[in-house]
């Protein structure tokens, strides 16, 4: 083999660099390979390029890689927006925020409401999803646009790569917080319904939004009541040791200290009904002006 070969699976690739097999605008040879000078590679080196991606250039030996990236800047790691240092992702410093010509106040005027995030937190079985659905329906009937980010639903798609370990739970909350912030910026009333057991993670989501736009709702329901409901059978599995790190059993739940709304379980069918709890949240939103244009 002559030097270093790059296979071009798309015949439309042109070679215009000196020493790569021809002069300006020459097509690769019929065998589909671009030839590099023998002086830049040993006889065992080949960098293969398919129609979608490069094999990592780190697979090429050091002397060849130095020569290759010097001659072909497009293959240099300095041109990518994200690089890894010691295995960790480093945020690129060459990205700039692009301002929109339509601001949040314009969208809110159009919708005749103010965007915010209603963050419903509590133990599994406390009724978070049920209240979220009741709240969404009640607001819809009032002509208000909402969207619900349910913890289980989000793990079917956006967060399907995450486990229930502490670090992944933090990332789960971070992602949902960022998505909720986008909804609020659009002018939508975003209802996030998930256990979110750690105060630090909830506070991080609060910090993403302007003062007052994060409405934390605590489902204050005793563990014994949640466990007696056990709608998904998860407490039974956790007690049997078949689920590890289950909130309330062998992983802590940190109740809010200064939340905006507390929905306390009283045992009364009326005051503890999903409809009444939703109305309590709506009263808060009305008092704060979120249901006005």
């Amino acid at each position: 083999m002559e030097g270093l070969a790059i296979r071009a699976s798309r015949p439309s690739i042109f070679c215009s660099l000196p020493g790569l097999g021809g002069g300006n605008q020459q097509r690769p040879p019929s065998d589909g390979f671009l030839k590099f000078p023998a002086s830049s590679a040993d006889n065992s080196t080949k960098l293969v390029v398919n129609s979608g991606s490069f094999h990592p250039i780190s697979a090429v030996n050091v002397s060849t890689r130095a020569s290759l990236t010097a001659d072909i800047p497009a293959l240099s790691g300095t041109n990518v927006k994200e690089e890894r240092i010691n295995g960790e992702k480093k945020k690129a410093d060459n990205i700039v925020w692009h301002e929109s010509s339509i601001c949040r106040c314009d969208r809110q005027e159009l919708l005749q409401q103010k965007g915010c995030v209603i963050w419903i937190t509590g133990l599994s079985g406390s009724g978070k999803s049920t209240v979220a659905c009741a709240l969404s329906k009640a607001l819809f009937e009032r002509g208000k646009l909402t969207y619900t980010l349910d913890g289980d639903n989000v793990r079917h798609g956006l967060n399907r790569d995450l486990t229930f370990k502490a670090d992944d739970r933090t990332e789960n909350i971070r992602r949902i917080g960022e998505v909720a912030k986008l909804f609020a910026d659009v002018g939508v009333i975003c209802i996030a319904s998930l256990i979110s057991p750690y105060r630090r993670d909830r506070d991080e989501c609060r910090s993403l939004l302007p003062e007052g736009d994060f409405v934390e709702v605590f489902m204050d329901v005793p563990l014994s009541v949640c466990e007696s409901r056990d709608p998904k059978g998860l407490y039974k599995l956790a007690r049997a040791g078949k689920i590890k790190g289950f909130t309330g059993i062998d992983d802590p739940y940190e109740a809010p200290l200064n939340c905006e709304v507390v929905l306390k379980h009283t045992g009364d069918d009326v005051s503890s009904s999903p409809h009444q709890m939703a109305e309590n949240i709506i009263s808060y939103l009305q008092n704060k002006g979120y249901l006005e244009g």
Side-chain angles (χ1 to χ4, degrees):
M1 183 182 72
E2 178 187 355
L4 176 66
I6 294 184
R7 185 175 185 88
S9 61
R10 293 185 179 180
S12 59
I13 295 178
F14 292 93
C15 171
S16 60
L17 295 175
L20 298 188
N24 291 338
Q25 297 299 306
Q26 285 190 349
R27 296 179 180 276
S30 59
D31 63 1
F33 284 85
L34 302 179
K35 307 296 184 179
F36 284 80
S39 61
S40 67
D42 60 30
N43 290 334
S44 64
T45 305
K46 178 185 290 186
L47 180 64
V48 181
V49 184
N50 61 32
S51 59
S53 63
F54 286 95
H55 284 277
I57 196 169
S58 58
V60 182
N61 65 50
V62 175
S63 61
T64 301
R65 182 163 68 250
S67 173
L68 183 59
T69 56
D71 292 336
I72 311 176
L75 299 182
S76 171
T78 60
N79 285 338
V80 295
K81 286 190 175 181
E82 188 178 78
E83 58 182 301
R84 288 184 174 270
I85 296 179
N86 297 327
E88 297 294 328
K89 287 184 179 180
K90 177 187 176 184
K91 184 178 179 181
D93 55 6
N94 59 339
I95 54 176
V96 179
W97 183 268
H98 184 79
E99 293 293 343
S100 172
S101 58
I102 301 174
C103 70
R104 178 176 180 173
C105 58
D106 296 326
R107 295 186 287 266
Q108 292 183 154
E109 184 177 354
L110 177 68
L111 295 172
Q112 289 297 294
Q113 63 183 51
K114 294 179 181 178
C116 65
V117 174
I118 302 171
W119 194 280
I120 306 178
T121 175
L123 291 168
S124 176
S126 61
K128 300 180 300 299
S129 296
T130 304
V131 170
C133 288
L135 176 61
S136 181
K137 182 179 180 181
L139 288 171
F140 180 82
E141 291 172 348
R142 286 169 168 81
K144 302 305 175 184
L145 182 61
T146 71
Y147 193 83
T148 302
L149 296 173
D150 182 84
D152 282 359
N153 291 357
V154 175
R155 281 185 176 271
H156 278 83
L158 176 65
N159 293 347
R160 64 183 177 184
D161 59 321
L162 301 177
T163 68
F164 286 90
K165 293 180 179 179
D167 288 347
D168 277 1
R169 280 189 149 179
T170 293
E171 176 62 12
N172 177 59
I173 301 306
R174 187 195 71 81
R175 292 183 192 178
I176 294 176
E178 290 286 355
V179 173
K181 179 184 74 171
L182 295 177
F183 274 110
D185 188 58
V186 170
V188 170
I189 298 172
C190 181
I191 306 167
S193 168
L194 57 163
I195 295 174
S196 46
Y198 310 130
R199 289 192 199 101
R200 178 194 61 196
D201 296 340
R202 298 193 301 267
D203 289 343
E204 285 290 332
C205 292
R206 181 186 291 273
S207 70
L208 296 174
L209 292 137
E211 183 72 25
D213 285 0
F214 185 91
V215 181
E216 189 173 23
V217 177
F218 174 39
M219 300 294 297
D220 189 3
V221 182
L223 174 62
S224 59
V225 174
C226 296
E227 191 167 359
S228 67
R229 294 173 177 173
D230 202 11
K232 303 172 186 176
L234 299 179
Y235 283 102
K236 183 178 181 180
L237 293 174
R239 291 293 187 188
K242 296 180 179 179
I243 297 179
K244 301 296 183 181
F246 190 76
T247 303
I249 303 301
D250 56 352
D251 200 66
Y253 176 79
E254 299 171 356
L257 300 176
N258 297 293
C259 60
E260 284 71 18
V261 179
V262 177
L263 300 178
K264 191 174 182 63
H265 175 78
T266 63
D268 178 72
D269 291 341
V270 177
S271 62
S272 296
S273 70
H275 173 76
Q276 185 56 51
M277 288 184 170
E279 289 297 326
N280 292 344
I281 299 173
I282 290 174
S283 294
Y284 177 89
L285 296 177
Q286 286 176 329
N287 292 337
K288 296 295 183 179
Y290 282 100
L291 304 185
E292 302 172 2

